[in-house]
Amino acid sequence: MTRIHNAFDGKKAFIGFVTAGDPNLDKTEEFVLEMERAGAGLVELGIPFSDPIAEGPVIQEANIRALKAGCTTDKLFDMVARLRRKTQIPLVFLAYLNTLFKYGYEKFCSKCEEVGIDGVIIPDMPYEEKGELADIAAAHNVDIISLIAPTSEDRIQMIAKDATGFIYVVSSMGVTGVRSEITTDVSKIIGLIKEVTDVPTAVGFGINTAEQVHKYSSIADGAIVGSAIVKIIAQYGGEAGSHIYDYVHEMVEELA
């Protein structure tokens, strides 16, 4: 049984996101542990990138702060190795394809397996183009986390049939960011997914309130929150740990 499977086994999962290296990697390590202590089932670590096309201003700015602070992919791998001595919480990277391509697919996936990264989310990699990378990742026990968007339509079940780890259901069109209202018929998308696979589903993009976490975790197997946590880090910097704990604990309490 994989760590990702454990996150959803018999329970709903709260998934938290932080941009690694914001404000520095020591603090990222602390923030992951605070999220776990608050009840998060899985944590996404964003690999900082200069042109994160799926991200709104909050996470764009976090990427810039992390890059300015000197975060590199190699330093992030070292941090994950340290973190794995303290926790077995499932960890997935959110990375843009250029980062993996430049690092080298084989080297990247091998390093993920070595340090204990369970999967990777690649927002700018279309399903049809994952072939070469998917085979290498599978050989190193790294799940490529599939994204299914409201526009996927007749591709939903095709993508879902191939999915491993969990399926990231994108709640809204556009980029990441806090939203007051989500109008997508998420239950319809999840219904189509569940017809073809038992792989867990988690809803993200725009989720930030306890009410939204409750609603979407009742439809799906988990809820993903990113920008709201990154905003706390932007506000409190290195002192954000206790505030992240309080926020995540409040969200976890509302899981359906």
Side-chain angles (χ1 to χ4, degrees):
M1 189 180 289
T2 65
R3 276 186 291 248
I4 289 177
H5 186 278
N6 286 341
F8 296 93
D9 190 27
K11 57 187 177 294
K12 302 289 180 154
F14 177 88
I15 299 173
F17 169 91
V18 291
T19 299
D22 175 28
N24 59 60
L25 283 169
D26 286 344
K27 286 297 174 182
T28 301
E29 188 176 343
E30 177 192 324
F31 298 160
V32 171
L33 294 171
E34 288 292 347
M35 283 193 275
E36 180 182 36
R37 194 167 69 87
L42 187 150
V43 173
E44 290 179 28
L45 295 168
I47 299 181
F49 185 59
S50 57
D51 299 274
I53 58 171
E55 314 301 351
V58 170
I59 296 177
Q60 285 180 28
E61 289 163 9
N63 275 271
I64 292 165
R65 289 194 298 270
L67 290 168
K68 282 184 174 175
C71 181
T72 66
T73 307
D74 278 327
K75 289 177 182 176
L76 177 50
F77 276 128
D78 290 343
M79 186 278 286
V80 173
R82 293 193 301 274
L83 189 55
R84 273 284 171 244
R85 297 182 199 126
K86 302 174 183 176
T87 177
Q88 288 301 306
I89 191 170
L91 296 171
V92 301
F93 279 150
L94 187 143
Y96 287 85
L97 189 56
N98 192 61
T99 301
L100 279 71
F101 181 76
K102 189 165 189 311
Y103 201 86
Y105 292 164
E106 174 65 38
K107 182 182 173 188
F108 185 89
C109 294
S110 173
K111 196 72 180 171
C112 284
E113 182 177 35
E114 178 189 328
V115 302
I117 288 291
D118 301 292
V120 59
I121 301 163
I122 309 167
D124 59 343
M125 184 181 71
Y127 167 81
E128 290 81 0
E129 296 176 20
K130 73 175 188 175
E132 179 190 6
L133 175 57
D135 292 342
I136 294 168
H140 289 288
N141 303 304
V142 177
D143 288 315
I144 302 289
I145 307 300
S146 298
L147 290 109
I148 289 179
T151 50
S152 297
E153 296 178 351
D154 56 345
R155 298 164 72 249
I156 289 172
Q157 293 188 323
M158 177 179 75
I159 297 168
K161 280 178 188 173
D162 253 6
T164 61
F166 71 93
I167 295 170
Y168 192 130
V169 179
V170 178
S171 72
S172 310
M173 298 297 292
V175 295
T176 57
V178 171
R179 286 174 173 80
S180 58
E181 188 178 10
I182 295 168
T183 57
T184 302
D185 187 353
V186 173
S187 59
K188 180 183 176 185
I189 295 172
I190 289 171
L192 290 167
I193 292 168
K194 293 298 184 186
E195 286 178 12
V196 297
T197 184
D198 293 329
V199 171
T201 55
V203 182
F205 273 59
I207 294 174
N208 65 104
T209 67
E211 182 183 18
Q212 289 169 332
V213 166
H214 182 79
K215 176 180 177 181
Y216 289 105
S217 64
S218 68
I219 300 168
D221 302 299
I224 303 165
V225 175
S227 293
I229 296 170
V230 176
K231 279 179 84 170
I232 293 170
I233 297 167
Q235 182 176 356
Y236 294 103
E239 304 304 311
S242 63
H243 301 281
I244 291 170
Y245 171 87
D246 290 342
Y247 175 81
V248 172
H249 186 263
E250 180 189 353
M251 298 300 117
V252 168
E253 291 285 296
E254 291 302 320
L255 287 171

